[in-house]
Amino acid sequence: MKMVNKKIMRYMYYILMFLPLAVTVISLLFLPDRIPAHYGSDNQVTRWGSKYETLIFPAETLICGAIMTAVAKSAAGKERENNEKAAVIIGMAVLLLFNLMTVYFLYADFRQISNLSDMPVDITGLVFCYLGAVIILCGILMPGLKRNSMIGLRTKWSMKNEVTWKKSQKFGGISFIIAGVCIIIVSLQTKGTACVIWSLGLLTADAVIDVIYTYIAARKYA
């Protein structure tokens, strides 16, 4: 059963990895020759370009997918299989975001949208709302991670021994879930620059708190 589930996850991973490229290649047959190629911070188009520039984003998706695959294999090879599973799940979540953004911008290209504010969905809110969900997912997976050199809440203090590792991952898991929920709330209540500032501020605060905790845990459980 584990082997079957692993194969299904692998297939889903590669589908998410290559789907943006397949969809974009097909879309090239129908896209106008001139599309909005770049938007400024005010959501206004700053440059128009060739429809073939739409291939850049799928290429970045492939690169990101390959990097996360290498991370997952390295985590499994050096440590435990459940680390690989966690890395693959997070990788799939990130790739799904790339898929959603591919659809979003292809729609903007088809409609030749010059102002992203005219889109049915705010791109900043979409990205950070989804990011919040991914952070929550990370928080759920973190307590089950075994000590490794690739993924998890890793500092020189959390890596000190098995006890500090487990304590750090448990604390980090809870803090990630709280931060993810807060980011989702912020992304639903704010837009544009305000959404970015608040969300990044929450991420930074969470990271600082987590690092401080690993130091305290190392001092306490050394």
Side-chain angles (χ1 to χ4, degrees):
M1 182 61 70
K2 287 186 177 180
M3 185 61 67
V4 173
N5 291 337
K6 190 173 181 179
K7 286 184 178 180
I8 291 174
M9 288 181 62
R10 186 183 298 116
Y11 290 145
M12 291 178 62
Y13 185 93
Y14 285 116
I15 287 172
L16 291 172
M17 185 173 168
F18 286 94
L19 188 59
L21 179 61
V23 171
T24 302
V25 169
I26 295 173
S27 298
L28 287 174
L29 300 174
F30 309 98
L31 281 172
D33 292 331
R34 182 172 172 268
I35 62 168
H38 185 267
Y39 293 93
S41 59
D42 58 353
N43 286 337
Q44 296 284 346
V45 64
T46 57
R47 184 176 68 83
W48 295 80
S50 168
K51 65 180 181 180
Y52 293 102
E53 291 187 47
T54 56
L55 293 170
I56 295 175
F57 200 69
E60 293 175 345
T61 305
L62 292 175
I63 294 171
C64 181
I67 292 173
M68 290 186 293
T69 298
V71 170
K73 289 181 177 179
S74 179
K78 293 180 179 179
E79 308 295 339
R80 306 292 177 83
E81 185 176 349
N82 62 330
N83 289 355
E84 179 185 20
K85 183 178 180 180
V88 170
I89 291 173
I90 297 302
M92 289 172 62
V94 174
L95 288 175
L96 180 58
L97 176 60
F98 275 82
N99 279 257
L100 292 174
M101 292 183 67
T102 296
V103 173
Y104 184 93
F105 284 111
L106 281 177
Y107 177 85
D109 293 339
F110 274 115
R111 300 294 298 272
Q112 293 186 307
I113 302 292
S114 59
N115 186 346
L116 288 180
S117 299
D118 297 332
M119 292 285 284
V121 179
D122 176 60
I123 183 61
T124 306
L126 171 65
V127 170
F128 281 98
C129 186
Y130 191 88
L131 177 62
V134 172
I135 292 172
I136 292 173
L137 178 60
C138 291
I140 294 172
L141 294 172
M142 280 175 65
L145 294 175
K146 303 301 180 182
R147 190 155 47 137
N148 71 94
S149 57
M150 296 299 296
I151 57 176
L153 178 53
R154 295 181 299 105
T155 67
K156 66 179 182 179
W157 300 296
S158 67
M159 298 286 287
K160 195 168 185 178
N161 56 55
E162 197 64 35
V163 176
T164 57
W165 173 263
K166 289 181 179 179
K167 294 288 185 180
S168 296
Q169 303 318 302
K170 184 176 181 180
F171 180 89
I174 295 173
S175 71
F176 266 46
I177 292 173
I178 295 173
V181 170
C182 291
I183 289 173
I184 290 176
I185 294 173
V186 165
S187 66
L188 294 175
Q189 297 296 322
T190 61
K191 292 183 178 181
T193 304
C195 180
V196 174
I197 292 174
W198 275 102
S199 297
L200 293 181
L202 287 167
L203 280 175
T204 301
D206 180 58
V208 171
I209 291 171
D210 287 344
V211 171
I212 292 174
Y213 178 82
T214 63
Y215 172 75
I216 295 173
R219 293 284 300 271
K220 184 175 181 180
Y221 300 104

